[in-house]
Amino acid sequence: MFVLVCAFLNAQTDDSTQVRKIYDFYLTQSKSYSNLEVLTKKIGGRLSGSKQAQDAVYWAKKALYDAGADTVYLQPCMVPHWVRGSIEKCVLTSSKLKLNKNLAITTLGSSVSTPMAGLKANVISVASFEELEQLGVEKVKGKIVFYNVKFDDTRIIPSSAYGETVKFRVHGASYAAKYGAVASVVRSMTHARNNFPHTGNMKYDPMVSKEKIPTFALSYLAANELSEALTKDNELMLFLQNESKNLPDAPSFNVIGEIKGSEKPNEYIISGGHLDSWDNGEGAHDDGAGVVQTIDVLSMFKKLGIKPKHSIRTVCFMNEENGLGGANAYFKEADEKKLKHIAALETDAGGFSPRAFGVDTTAGMYKMVLAWLPIFKPYLIEQIKVGGGGADIGPLEKLGVPCIGFEPDNQRYFDIHHTSDDTFDKINKRELELGAAAIGSLIYLIDKHHK
Ligand SMILES: [Zn+2]
């Protein structure tokens, strides 16, 4: 027993020494920050189907080769091609309150447009789908439904408030249409009290309603104004106008960079983020950060001269935001070719200070990673949580692949998520690099210890 314990402690000391070297590499030689500057400033917002998304594919291919990939693949996928258009207008009018005021609004992704000249209607505020149902066609028909549900400020982790309210963004239009509404608006998914509206994807559900009505998000402050005004004048009107379009699906690619494994080249450890982003900002935290951090996994192996046993892949997924075309294409090929994946890690929660990893219990992965918590503690990783992953690697869970989610500090993410404020200047270089170092270290440890 004593010998075994000593062997375990020696292994942990070796691992700690190597992880220290990995952190030193990232904190002095990482390309994450400079790569992200190019991706955000030279290319910018990269919505699926756009020229910028295509430019990002070519950029990623080069960045992966520069990082030291032996091979870079472009994996074809089909993606929705939604275009926002240049007009987005919302005007609140009330003769009673002598109001005629523009409100900050953004069209939700995949939404249809209003008639060309816009639409004008009374507004009905609801706090839940149940309330909407109780009001029914009689009270809702011909109106604009306002899902007046705030992020719960008492939640410690903002993503849990997001989890509770995002259903109104995704499904609100179909439920409103079911009762004859002409449009729906939601509060922006945020705690931040400002005038940046937050976009994000919505879905029309033909099982709920065959009608497709336009749908929008108001900024936090605009939603407050509307809510307040409705308490004084429930006859007020909103004018809405936009010109979004759903074009035919377009061809695009995931970009996959690989370093071949020296002992088990047919067994893969993958990490990735998503290359596409919303069009209104620069996609800096969501998810340029994840893309550059996982490209940097390859540079770490190359620069430190570590030959991985398993094949190490970085996957820059396409179309996470509005369709998962890339995630499904990766899954399909992995399934058809019976590719063996040891683990899949996703970083899609911003380039903030690392806090935790969420790890699936599948195939003993959680136990293995939990044993390394003492190695990560000096680097401020406080927790290994049960269960993890991300939208892009989610489909791989069907193949029994243990999935891991990188969890940075969440407090500021929803301040800028899906807004025009998600720009490169919101990135802190050291926080971004600490995240890259945590991810690189975990991939290194999995490769070294997985039997
Ligand atoms: Zn994302």
Side-chain angles (χ1 to χ4, degrees):
M1 187 62 182
F2 178 71
V3 175
L4 272 179
V5 170
C6 282
F8 176 74
L9 289 176
N10 279 339
Q12 286 242 324
T13 310
D14 287 354
D15 287 341
S16 292
T17 307
Q18 188 57 44
V19 165
R20 179 69 253 183
K21 284 184 190 159
I22 291 172
Y23 268 79
D24 288 350
F25 163 79
Y26 280 105
L27 292 170
T28 57
Q29 297 177 56
S30 162
K31 287 263 169 41
S32 286
Y33 192 70
S34 56
N35 270 343
L36 188 55
E37 184 169 18
V38 176
L39 182 61
T40 53
K41 289 298 178 195
K42 294 252 162 74
I43 298 174
R46 312 169 285 284
L47 191 56
S48 293
S50 67
K51 180 185 177 297
Q52 290 88 335
Q54 192 57 30
D55 289 348
V57 166
Y58 298 130
W59 169 86
K61 184 179 175 187
K62 182 173 182 307
L64 284 161
Y65 273 126
D66 290 349
D70 304 331
T71 324
V72 180
Y73 312 84
L74 295 192
Q75 182 177 50
C77 60
M78 292 302 287
V79 299
H81 189 187
W82 179 80
V83 181
R84 177 178 303 280
S86 49
I87 297 172
E88 289 184 313
K89 200 167 179 186
C90 177
V91 187
L92 166 60
T93 53
S94 160
S95 43
K96 187 176 172 191
L97 304 173
K98 297 188 177 48
L99 270 177
N100 184 25
K101 191 172 180 190
N102 280 310
L103 297 182
I105 204 163
T106 183
T107 310
L108 296 178
S110 307
S111 172
V112 297
S113 69
T114 62
M116 222 173 8
L119 62 85
K120 197 171 183 180
N122 291 124
V123 179
I124 184 126
S125 170
V126 298
S128 65
F129 287 134
E130 291 72 23
E131 189 184 349
L132 179 72
E133 190 182 348
Q134 280 162 14
L135 290 167
V137 175
E138 197 188 321
K139 299 269 171 54
V140 174
K141 194 170 169 43
K143 293 186 182 155
I144 295 166
V145 169
F146 171 32
Y147 292 100
N148 193 1
V149 187
K150 284 186 180 174
F151 255 31
D152 181 350
D153 286 332
T154 66
R155 296 278 165 211
I156 304 304
I157 308 291
S159 61
S160 62
Y162 183 73
E164 289 166 347
T165 47
V166 74
K167 62 188 175 191
F168 300 113
R169 188 192 82 200
V170 178
H171 303 293
S174 284
Y175 282 96
K178 182 178 174 184
Y179 302 105
V182 291
S184 68
V185 295
V186 293
R187 282 180 169 271
S188 282
M189 303 289 126
T190 187
H191 291 292
R193 295 164 189 226
N194 60 31
N195 253 325
F196 291 99
H198 295 232
T199 192
N201 208 32
M202 60 79 56
K203 284 180 189 151
Y204 292 110
D205 184 349
M207 301 297 281
V208 176
S209 172
K210 299 250 182 310
E211 289 299 315
K212 293 183 175 181
I213 59 171
T215 182
F216 304 83
L218 289 159
S219 72
Y220 188 103
L221 294 179
N224 278 2
E225 276 196 79
L226 176 59
S227 183
E228 175 75 20
L230 278 167
T231 62
K232 296 173 192 154
D233 176 12
N234 61 10
E235 295 290 304
L236 65 76
M237 306 279 275
L238 268 194
F239 170 80
L240 292 167
Q241 187 183 25
N242 76 330
E243 50 179 13
S244 56
K245 278 195 191 84
N246 284 293
L247 302 174
D249 285 0
S252 189
F253 302 95
N254 293 325
V255 191
I256 305 170
E258 187 175 310
I259 296 177
K260 265 251 164 310
S262 56
E263 292 176 23
K264 296 176 175 175
N266 296 324
E267 296 185 11
Y268 299 92
I269 301 170
I270 73 166
S271 66
H274 64 87
L275 204 47
D276 64 307
S277 78
W278 284 104
D279 53 332
N280 49 357
E282 295 172 358
H285 280 287
D286 187 14
D287 182 29
V291 168
V292 298
Q293 286 173 328
T294 52
I295 289 175
D296 240 358
V297 171
L298 302 189
S299 12
M300 182 273 293
F301 278 98
K302 279 285 160 170
K303 289 273 172 57
L304 295 182
I306 302 167
K307 289 203 170 21
K309 294 192 293 183
H310 309 82
S311 287
I312 305 294
R313 275 185 173 181
T314 292
V315 186
C316 304
F317 288 96
M318 183 53 72
N319 189 219
E320 189 274 344
E321 294 294 1
N322 59 337
L324 296 175
N328 293 328
Y330 191 90
F331 163 79
K332 191 162 175 271
E333 189 173 329
D335 187 29
E336 282 171 3
K337 295 188 175 167
K338 304 272 171 275
L339 299 183
K340 184 169 179 186
H341 283 77
I342 302 301
L345 179 148
E346 184 157 343
T347 157
D348 184 18
F352 300 102
S353 280
R355 290 281 185 262
F357 288 106
V359 186
D360 279 348
T361 51
T362 318
M365 186 57 69
Y366 175 74
K367 264 191 170 169
M368 184 156 96
V369 177
L370 183 64
W372 299 323
L373 183 57
I375 298 175
F376 281 104
K377 281 235 166 161
Y379 306 98
L380 312 176
I381 299 270
E382 290 296 327
Q383 268 181 298
I384 307 298
K385 300 181 185 170
V386 174
D392 290 305
I393 57 175
L396 294 172
E397 287 183 344
K398 285 183 272 179
L399 303 178
V401 178
C403 288
I404 303 171
F406 168 63
E407 297 187 14
D409 187 273
N410 191 239
Q411 296 307 324
R412 287 167 288 154
Y413 188 54
F414 289 98
D415 289 359
I416 46 117
H417 182 247
H418 297 180
T419 71
S420 59
D421 208 23
D422 183 9
T423 49
F424 181 66
D425 56 296
K426 307 303 181 307
I427 298 282
N428 176 285
K429 182 171 180 288
R430 284 183 60 83
E431 292 186 29
L432 181 74
E433 289 167 353
L434 287 168
I439 293 162
S441 298
L442 184 59
I443 300 289
Y444 163 80
L445 290 170
I446 295 172
D447 176 63
K448 182 179 168 194
H449 292 284
H450 196 275
K451 297 281 185 279

